[in-house]
Amino acid sequence: MATKLNRKALELARELVKQGKVQQDVRDDWSEHAPSTDDENAFIDKHGFAEFSKWHLGIDKEQSEGTKGSVSFPFGDFKKVHRCAVISLESRAAQHDHEDIRKAAKDLLEEIDAE
């Protein structure tokens, strides 16, 4: 599998959880809470792609660097970690045999739920 755990993203997610920057929502909310393409593009324009990639637990070095196709498994809205996103990405990572990402999401969810 080319997609691997983005450790910088995991560090950011854990730090946000420690700071209490978490949206306590339920699984099915992510479809409504996920940033739109326009929101993503505005974030990239303002902060750069490196910062954008930190909001995704998956990174694929085989894809063109600096493209949206090189990142996957988003966990938040550029302000907070969304519990619903973490639940969703844990499930998707398991479905696609990305065990390192699945485990990171499971651990992150446990940190969120402990708060």
Side-chain angles (χ1 to χ4, degrees):
M1 294 278 157
T3 302
K4 300 290 182 198
L5 177 63
N6 182 351
R7 296 203 179 276
K8 290 180 182 179
L10 183 57
E11 289 172 19
L12 173 62
R14 285 188 170 145
E15 183 58 33
L16 290 168
V17 170
K18 284 179 189 171
Q19 294 174 8
K21 295 181 179 179
V22 176
Q23 182 69 42
Q24 290 284 358
D25 42 22
V26 296
R27 179 187 187 118
D28 294 336
D29 288 343
W30 186 236
S31 60
E32 294 175 24
H33 293 182
S36 68
T37 300
D38 288 342
D39 293 338
E40 291 177 341
N41 292 339
F43 186 87
I44 292 168
D45 287 346
K46 185 173 182 179
H47 301 283
F49 191 83
E51 289 301 311
F52 175 77
S53 71
K54 289 180 186 175
W55 287 88
H56 298 80
L57 288 184
I59 192 159
D60 185 346
K61 300 287 187 181
E62 293 180 6
Q63 296 292 320
S64 297
E65 190 173 335
T67 64
K68 289 182 183 179
S70 67
V71 295
S72 55
F73 301 105
F75 61 83
D77 64 1
F78 311 125
K79 295 178 189 89
K80 293 181 177 183
V81 174
H82 279 250
R83 185 176 184 276
C84 60
V86 177
I87 293 169
S88 177
L89 78 86
E90 179 188 6
S91 176
R92 285 188 305 116
Q95 289 171 348
H96 297 284
D97 297 321
H98 298 298
E99 183 57 25
D100 55 344
I101 297 169
R102 186 210 58 80
K103 183 178 180 335
K106 181 180 183 289
D107 293 346
L108 187 58
L109 188 59
E110 288 174 3
E111 291 175 33
I112 290 168
D113 289 345
E115 291 293 311

